[in-house]
Amino acid sequence: MADLLATVREQVLERGEGLAQHQVREVLDLPDAELDDLLVLAHEVRMRWCGPEVEVEGIVSLKTGGCPEDCHFCSQSGQFPSPVRAAWLDVPMLVEAAKETAKTGATEFCIVAAVRGPDERLMTQVAAGIEAIHDAVDINIACSLGMLTPDQAARLAGWGVHRYNHNLETARSYFPQVVGTHTWEERWETLQLVRDNRMEVCCGGIVGMGESLDQRAEFAAQLAELEPDEVPLNFLNPRPGTPFADQPLMEGTDALRTVAAYRLAMPRTVLRFAGGRELTLGDLGARQGLLGGINAVIVGNYLTTLGRPAAADIDLLGDLRMPLKALNSSL
């Protein structure tokens, strides 16, 4: 195993060349006794190729619940008997949420909607929201509105959307076990539209949904092939009423190994702590992850689940002497 870490050090840290799929798989097999050394190496890679700054983002759900898709992890699907019900935010509420996000020091504010893809009503409301936010607060605006048409991607870019999130969720080989109402390939097509329209590509997924270690490594390689600007890494938080409600929580050591492996597969990518880290890792794990390859966080609550208080994450970054990424350096 020492030979593996020595090889990784030379390849990734010294040359900046991300791990191939078979190498990610080997890293995921490292024993717990090697975990600390792995995390130290992943942190060195992050510092070498990304720098010390941490990007902070807040998210808000413009349209919650009632989604027609059957993503098995998601309590917003209208196909499952989950307690989430459909609701909309108005533009003033969006602006207020953006202002509160900016107060934390965040540079990114992401508008999210639980839909297969945006209809004209949603596009109109997003346009109004973007204009109002830009008038009220200095913050980058990202969107996550499902699958796009070429016209919709062009319009979002024209409105000044800085980054678009559309997760592949899991490895291509495992995707049919997670979603039945659309394909992995359809998601990939939207991501190409995002890049074609010169918005930053934000694409990650959820680990701990029952995928094998082979598939977890496959997913890392597929993300690396996409070359996203940002990868949000979620850990399954099993939601009542969904098909994955009874999935066990991922072990914290497995989660940290995954963080490090994904950093080593994508040495220059923004790797963001997202949903589920509170349950899977807790406070100590959050600290270890930030010292093991993570260089971005979502602060506050998620779409239908509670997160860590924003102040707790900002204080943690201060304790670790990790500077917040400034707005002007993220434009």
Side-chain angles (χ1 to χ4, degrees):
M1 294 302 180
D3 289 344
L4 172 60
L5 290 181
T7 298
V8 171
R9 174 175 292 277
E10 193 279 328
Q11 176 181 327
V12 186
L13 181 61
E14 301 302 330
R15 292 191 276 124
E17 180 184 326
L19 298 186
Q21 181 173 333
H22 73 277
Q23 294 174 305
V24 174
R25 182 65 178 84
E26 291 178 36
V27 167
L28 293 173
D29 264 336
L30 282 171
D32 289 353
E34 302 286 336
L35 182 56
D36 285 345
D37 290 341
L38 173 65
L39 293 173
V40 167
L41 177 55
H43 182 63
E44 290 181 75
V45 167
R46 167 264 174 112
M47 294 293 286
R48 170 74 181 273
W49 297 107
C50 296
E53 293 182 325
V54 176
E55 185 182 287
V56 176
E57 178 182 46
I59 61 176
V60 67
S61 183
L62 172 60
K63 188 263 181 182
T64 301
C67 181
E69 305 305 287
D70 70 347
C71 305
H72 290 10
F73 54 83
C74 186
S75 58
Q76 299 199 65
S77 171
Q79 299 197 29
F80 310 137
S82 67
V84 175
R85 293 294 175 260
W88 286 78
L89 290 186
D90 59 23
V91 170
M93 294 171 72
L94 270 182
V95 173
E96 188 59 33
K99 287 180 177 179
E100 291 301 312
T101 297
K103 287 178 184 178
T104 69
T107 57
E108 291 282 334
F109 179 71
C110 188
I111 300 170
V112 183
V115 291
R116 177 183 176 89
D119 59 15
E120 192 53 37
R121 174 193 177 190
L122 179 56
M123 291 291 288
T124 299
Q125 191 156 5
V126 168
I130 290 172
E131 182 178 11
I133 291 167
H134 277 153
D135 287 344
V137 62
D138 193 14
I139 197 166
N140 291 326
I141 298 177
C143 285
S144 182
L145 311 173
M147 291 176 283
L148 300 175
T149 67
D151 174 70
Q152 289 168 339
R155 289 165 70 187
L156 289 169
W159 295 337
V161 172
H162 167 247
R163 184 180 292 168
Y164 193 84
N165 165 255
H166 194 53
N167 290 337
L168 288 170
E169 303 301 6
T170 191
R172 185 175 185 174
S173 68
Y174 193 61
F175 191 86
Q177 309 303 313
V178 178
V179 182
T181 48
H182 60 267
T183 66
W184 193 93
E185 290 77 12
E186 287 177 286
R187 289 184 176 237
W188 185 274
E189 289 168 5
T190 284
L191 293 162
Q192 298 308 312
L193 288 175
V194 171
R195 174 157 289 135
D196 290 346
N197 283 276
R198 299 184 179 180
M199 291 179 282
E200 289 192 1
V201 173
C202 173
C203 179
I206 306 173
V207 292
M209 294 194 291
E211 75 280 359
S212 67
L213 290 183
D214 285 344
Q215 288 165 326
R216 203 169 291 167
E218 176 195 342
F219 187 37
Q222 288 161 346
L223 288 172
E225 179 186 352
L226 179 67
E227 297 182 337
D229 298 278
E230 174 191 341
V231 172
L233 193 57
N234 299 268
F235 308 95
L236 181 67
N237 179 350
R239 307 312 302 150
T242 68
F244 286 170
D246 296 326
Q247 283 278 4
L249 284 178
M250 191 175 185
E251 292 291 334
T253 50
D254 287 340
L256 289 171
R257 255 187 297 273
T258 302
V259 166
Y262 278 46
R263 166 54 65 206
L264 297 173
M266 295 171 282
R268 295 173 177 81
T269 299
V270 175
L271 186 60
R272 188 181 299 278
F273 256 157
R277 62 186 168 107
E278 300 77 18
L279 292 176
T280 300
L281 292 168
D283 290 346
L284 178 60
R287 179 181 293 266
Q288 288 177 293
L290 285 163
L291 293 172
I294 292 291
N295 66 328
V297 294
I298 293 176
V299 295
N301 295 330
Y302 304 109
L303 300 178
T304 61
T305 59
L306 297 177
R308 282 164 54 89
D313 278 329
I314 301 302
D315 289 346
L316 175 58
L317 294 173
D319 291 344
L320 296 175
R321 298 187 177 182
M322 292 182 177
L324 299 186
K325 186 173 183 178
L327 180 64
N328 60 7
S329 67
S330 61
L331 290 174

